[in-house]
Structures are given as structure tokens and as C-alpha cells.
Amino acid sequence: MPETIPVSTTEDALEPPTLARRAFDSIKSDIIDGELAQGTKIVESDLALKYGISRGPLREAIHRLEQIKLIVRIPHAGSRVVTLDARMMQDIYEAREALEGMAARLAARLMPDNEIASLSALLDQHEAAISETEGKAYFQREGDIDFHYRIAVASQNQWILENLNGELYQLIRMCRRQSGQIPSRAQTALSQHRQIAVAIAQRDEELAELLMRRHISGAWKIVRKILEDQHDSN
Amino acid sequence: MPETIPVSTTEDALEPPTLARRAFDSIKSDIIDGELAQGTKIVESDLALKYGISRGPLREAIHRLEQIKLIVRIPHAGSRVVTLDARMMQDIYEAREALEGMAARLAARLMPDNEIASLSALLDQHEAAISETEGKAYFQREGDIDFHYRIAVASQNQWILENLNGELYQLIRMCRRQSGQIPSRAQTALSQHRQIAVAIAQRDEELAELLMRRHISGAWKIVRKILEDQHDSN
DNA sequence: CAGGCATAAATTGTCAACAATAATGACCAA
DNA sequence: TTGGTCATTATTGTTGACAATTTATGCCTG
């Protein structure tokens, strides 16, 4: 039986649960899940009351959220939940393309054989999940992040891993939520993942990077199309 | 007469000089310039006393320094100035190669003609400065960052610009300081810059990215060589 | 009635004291 | 002497009050 342990995307869960840390996690979830709508004004005293903590730790949480670009802050004027416009989304996808392309290249160079096997097994799971649930694209989305996460880990580059996992993936989730339902891309995404896995298994750095970049820029083109259609209907 | 206005690398100098902001800038300079040695233990009360402010704003400054990876912090245990080892340097150069490669590609697509002309003029200045000062490599280093900064701006990608300018370039400076004197690379760097500028002027995205990546990975190879020699002599 | 200035309210920035946690060192026992 | 345990100390985490700044409100003037 192949390994079937899903890799959690929330890495640092073992940190001491300081108040600031907990507030950070809570607010982050609220923003990503859309409970705190984009553009919402953040008032420190209100949130502190809501979470039952003082303004000190809450401020620290806000600063951390600002650093991962979920909140924009203007000195003396307050902070708001970020509003993702098309411009910012493009920036994010471009950066992701560059970093994940590099990650794929490094993975092809460094990923241990057993992890490559495990990666392949993960894709088998995905295939099974797709044919079972048919249209359940949501499942595929989580799996999608799982696949990309594994490659980021395999790159053995801490900087790239932290920036992808700690910042870009969160924003990507918000992009997806915002652009509504993305048409059944599960099949094509899976086959692209397979090609990338093969390239890594063959230790073909060049190809792995190329395929990963095409995969991501393709995803962006689809999202952009949706955004344009939304905009046209206004 | 061509434009000779040097572009400052410290962008957001117009922010209200809040205490936290000032402390952040001061400590950042101290770390980059080596006044606060790598690995130094950071004690909040001491630093607060040193800068004549309270612990509140100082904590904010420390958190921001942690986010740009100049400080590492362990909850309840305190924080230290980062110690750059070979592993981390490699991570940084790999990330930089990916991001600046993408930036060069985007610059080739988007940079306005007059800015391209200005970029070329900047390289003329550098050439003059090199032949004048001969061995003054330091001058060239600042110019080097200036060149790369302009391309990051020309990419029109805010995420890439902020990460390069706000984080990676600072760390690169520390790398350079640590690896001591780098042998007269001014000439070869300049000629590589010229090639990149030409590729951008010809709107050759592919070539611009390729040359930029070679340029950076070449720089890393030299730095790594120096580090290995330092290590061997122990 | 419109526009600008002054005042008032709301919100963020800063501070000093208190509580909780981890590092230090002394003491005791094997 | 060494190893472990406990008290002490130093340092970080948290809090509520105060100061500075911005935004909102309403009045006055043209």
C-alpha cells in the first residue's frame, strides 16, 4: 500500500499558542473564508473586544497579517482587509510562476526517489477522487495545493517554501473564491501534474520548470478570462 | 545630457516617522552594516533603552525585522540577529534568480522606451565610474543594485518589487559583506548588464530572462567559491 | 445655499506596570 | 565529581491608561 498520509499545509501548528498567534490564525481564516469581506475597515478596539484580548497582541496579529498582504495598513489612518483587483492577482500569479518554476527545477534535482513515488501515489488518489466524486472540484482544489506544496518542500529552499506557503497560496485561495466557480479543470490539471511528476522522476530540470510554468500561467489565463467576463457584464 | 538622477533604493521614506518605523530603520541599518553582529541576542528592554523609546514600538520594529528575515525569533525565548550560513545564502540567490528573471522578462515586455534609454545612460555612467576609480568596487556595487532595482520597477509587478527591494537585496548586501572582498567583477558585471539592456530594448523577453538568470547564478557561483575557500582554510 | 474653518469624536500610537514563561545558578545527593 | 532538582533571576507576553493624530460634525461666512 502506498503512503496515503496527507501533508498538512499548516506547518507551524506547534508554536506556543500565544494570544497574538491565535488572533492571527483566527483573523487569517476569517479573511480567507470571506467572513471578513474584502475592504472591511479593521478597528483595533472592536476586534480586541471580539476576541477577548487586549490591543497589544491584536496589534501584533495585524502587523503579521499586513506582512503576508492580507491587510493593508496606513499609519495613523487604520487598516483594511485587502481588496484583490486584477492587477494584484496578476502580480501574484506571475510571482508564483517564477517561484514554483524554480521549485520544480530544484525538485527534479533533489527530490528523493521515495518521495517521488509518494508524489505519484498522491496523484493516483486524486484520480480516484475525481472519478468518484465526478464534479466535486473543491476536493481537487485542496489536492491541487497539496501537490504544489510537496514540490515546494522538495525544492529544499526555505525562502521559496515560506513565501509560497505562508503568503502566495493564501492569496491564491482568495483569488479562486473571488472568481467564483472555475469550470471542471480537474482533469486537465491532473494530467499536467502527471507530466510534471514524470519530468521530476526523469530528473529533467529544464522540462519540470517549463511544465510547471505553463501549468500556472494556464491557470492564470483562465482566471483572468473569468474576471474579464465578470467585468464585461457590468 | 542624459538623465543622471540616481534612483534611491529606499522607497517609502515619506511615511510618517512613527517611533516604530524609526527604530525599524535604525536597527535594519545596524544589522546590514554589521554593527549588530550576526547571532547577537536581541533584548527588548536594552534596545528600547538604547533608542530611548518604550518596548511597545520596539516590539513592532522587531516583528517587522523578523518578517524580512533579518531577525529570527523564538516565542518566549527571545530573538537574535540572523546568521547567514551557506544554505540560506543559496536559498536567497535561487529565489532572486527566479524573481529577477521574471522581472527581466516583464521589463522587456513593458518598459517604456524612454526608461530603456535612461537605463542605458545609467550603464554609461557606470562605465565612466569604473574607468575613473579603477578598483573602487564599492561604487560599482551600489550601481549594481541600482541597475537591478530599475528592472524590478520596470516589471510593474508590485509583489516582485517589494520582495526584491524590501527583503532580498538587504540579505544580498549582508552576503557580500560576509564574503569579504569580491575580486574585480565590475567589468564583467557591466558587460552582462549591457547585454540584458540590449535584450530588453529589443523586446526579447526570452533572452532577457535567460541573461538575467545567468548573471545572477554566475554571481552566486563566485560567492559560493569564496565561502568554500573560507571554510577550507579552517 | 455652498464652502471652509473650528471644534469634537473616534482611532491609532505610545507608555509604564503587571503576569507568565524560560534561562541561570546554587544546593544536595549519589 | 556529576547529575538532577529547586529557587532565583532575567526576559518576554499582556494589560489598561494616556497622548497624538486623523476623521467627522456643525457652525459660521460669503
Side-chain angles (χ1 to χ4, degrees), chain B residues 5-22:
Chain B
I5 301 94
V7 176
S8 167
T9 15
T10 67
E11 358 79 272
D12 33 23
L14 48 138
E15 282 187 22
T18 169
L19 293 188
R21 168 85 197 174
R22 269 208 293 266

Side-chain angles (χ1 to χ4, degrees), chain B residues 2 22-23 41-42 55 66 180 194 196 228:
Chain B
R22 269 208 293 266
K41 177 89 187 289
I42 300 282
R55 272 183 56 215
E66 185 197 6
R194 275 250 146 78
I196 293 169
E228 284 169 358

Side-chain angles (χ1 to χ4, degrees), chain B residues 13 34 48 54 71 211 214:
Chain B
S54 174
I71 279 182
L211 291 176
R214 274 198 204 165

